[in-house]
Amino acid sequence: MGIFSFLLLLAIAYLLWRISDQLPDLIFRLGEIQRDVAELRRKLTEED
């Protein structure tokens, strides 16, 4: 049971490391999407 717990802890640590490694890119992409949505809203309100 001790080995299983250790392997589980290693897997969780690895996943957290991978998520934190991808976080800056994810935040940048979310910002790009938010800007595109704001631009689409502006265009739609200008048309009405």
Side-chain angles (χ1 to χ4, degrees):
M1 190 68 175
I3 287 288
F4 179 71
S5 297
F6 179 70
L7 289 176
L8 186 63
L9 181 65
L10 281 179
I12 291 171
Y14 175 74
L15 289 174
L16 287 175
W17 174 69
R18 292 293 295 160
I19 290 170
S20 68
D21 190 39
Q22 296 294 323
L23 206 54
D25 187 43
L26 181 65
I27 291 172
F28 174 75
R29 289 181 185 188
L30 286 175
E32 291 287 314
I33 291 170
Q34 184 180 10
R35 188 173 60 195
D36 290 344
V37 168
E39 184 178 328
L40 285 173
R41 276 192 189 151
R42 239 179 282 122
K43 284 182 181 178
L44 286 174
T45 55
E46 287 174 359
E47 290 176 359
D48 290 342

